[in-house]
């Protein structure tokens, strides 16, 4: 396959084979040469024509993986439900995030965030600038209105919960032993209770254990 004659097909093939290898062996255990070996005769030059590094390939893999973003579509459906109060919607969104197929696939790649700071920065910014205001905040406002959530700081609560859950508690970002991870989860639940969001442990903990294989 010529990179000049079929540039889009070449790029697509690189992303597809890289995804397969990252899922099978983990991102850190996959080399550029491993990827080249699975490209049916493409050269290293063809790969570097499309991607400057393995990290750039990873970003393309993630973009492709989340192209349809099923989790956000499911969160939107939760926000539309009339049979749940604000508190219940928050719990439901947490459960969905821990059982989302794309999230589980990405976790299995075992990406070391310390070696991909731009990815961590994007994750943090997205948590504060998109996920908190677009999804958690509407549910919190609804909870304040229906009485299921009591807080004087709705915007701050939405941001803190997303940052703690997506970054601090995330075993991909901060790997730790099972017992410590469980204590961190219980601490987050206790903190959420004090900040106005109750019942996370009972409803979310089973999904969290399944996600982390605890």
């Amino acid at each position: 396959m010529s990179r000049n004659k079929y540039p889009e097909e070449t790029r697509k093939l690189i992303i597809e084979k890289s995804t397969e290898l990252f899922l099978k062996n983990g991102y850190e255990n996959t080399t550029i040469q491993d990827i080249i070996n699975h490209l049916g005769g493409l050269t290293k030059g063809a790969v570097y024509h499309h991607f400057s590094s393995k990290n750039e390939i990873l970003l393309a893999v993630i973009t492709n993986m989340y192209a349809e973003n099923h989790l956000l579509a499911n969160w939107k459906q939760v926000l539309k439900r009339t049979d749940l109060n604000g508190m219940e919607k928050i719990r439901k969104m947490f459960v969905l995030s821990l059982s989302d197929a794309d999230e589980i696939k990405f976790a299995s790649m075992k990406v070391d965030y310390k070696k991909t700071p731009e990815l961590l920065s994007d994750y943090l910014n997205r948590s504060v600038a998109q996920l908190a205001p677009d999804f958690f905040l509407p549910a919190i406002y609804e909870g304040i209105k229906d009485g299921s959530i009591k807080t004087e700081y709705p915007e701050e609560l939405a941001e803190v919960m997303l940052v703690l859950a997506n970054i601090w508690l995330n075993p991909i970002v901060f790997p730790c032993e099972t017992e410590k991870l469980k204590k961190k989860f219980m601490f987050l639940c206790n903190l959420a209770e004090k900040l106005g969001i109750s019942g996370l442990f009972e409803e979310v903990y089973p999904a969290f254990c399944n996600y982390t294989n605890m």
Side-chain angles (χ1 to χ4, degrees):
M1 182 184 295
S2 170
R3 75 178 189 193
N4 295 319
K5 191 174 181 181
Y6 305 107
E8 291 304 318
E9 288 84 348
T10 301
R11 179 181 173 85
K12 181 180 179 181
L13 179 64
I14 295 169
I15 293 173
E16 287 177 351
K17 294 303 180 181
S18 298
T19 301
E20 292 174 7
L21 290 169
F22 293 164
L23 288 172
K24 180 181 178 181
N25 303 322
Y27 173 73
E28 300 300 332
N29 293 325
T30 301
T31 66
I32 287 287
Q33 189 59 51
D34 292 331
I35 296 171
I36 293 169
N37 292 343
H38 287 77
L39 293 178
L42 281 178
T43 65
K44 182 178 291 187
V47 173
Y48 281 108
H49 175 77
H50 293 278
F51 300 99
S52 63
S53 64
K54 189 178 74 165
N55 189 48
E56 191 172 307
I57 295 176
L58 173 65
L59 297 178
V61 166
I62 294 171
T63 298
N64 186 65
M65 183 182 296
Y66 288 98
E68 297 184 11
N69 214 319
H70 300 99
L71 177 59
L72 297 191
N74 290 334
W75 278 7
K76 288 178 182 177
Q77 292 304 312
V78 169
L79 290 177
K80 293 178 181 178
R81 289 179 60 172
T82 58
D83 60 321
L84 301 176
N85 62 33
M87 179 81 72
E88 291 167 336
K89 290 180 180 181
I90 293 288
R91 295 175 191 157
K92 186 67 174 177
M93 285 192 284
F94 269 120
V95 170
L96 286 172
S97 68
L98 291 168
S99 58
D100 179 70
D102 291 333
E103 295 290 335
I104 293 172
K105 282 170 61 178
F106 178 66
S108 71
M109 292 184 182
K110 298 179 173 61
V111 177
D112 187 345
Y113 275 88
K114 293 187 292 295
K115 298 179 181 178
T116 55
E118 67 275 20
L119 189 60
L120 179 58
S121 176
D122 177 71
Y123 202 21
L124 177 59
N125 288 331
R126 190 159 58 91
S127 295
V128 174
Q130 180 190 11
L131 302 183
D134 292 352
F135 296 96
F136 272 53
L137 187 57
I140 290 173
Y141 278 137
E142 187 172 336
I144 293 172
K145 185 176 180 179
D146 63 38
S148 62
I149 297 176
K150 300 184 184 302
T151 180
E152 297 178 6
Y153 306 98
E155 293 183 15
E156 292 77 9
L157 177 57
E159 292 178 2
V160 165
M161 290 303 295
L162 262 297
V163 170
L164 289 179
N166 283 343
I167 307 297
W168 178 73
L169 185 62
N170 194 332
I172 304 174
V173 182
F174 292 110
C176 60
E177 298 298 324
T178 299
E179 275 307 308
K180 183 174 182 180
L181 189 60
K182 182 178 179 180
K183 288 181 67 176
K184 290 175 69 172
F185 181 83
M186 294 178 69
F187 173 82
L188 178 62
C189 292
N190 289 332
L191 179 62
E193 189 93 26
K194 291 179 172 59
L195 295 176
I197 297 178
S198 62
L200 284 184
F201 184 83
E202 294 78 7
E203 189 164 345
V204 181
Y205 187 61
F208 181 72
C209 288
N210 185 60
Y211 177 80
T212 58
N213 296 314
M214 285 171 53

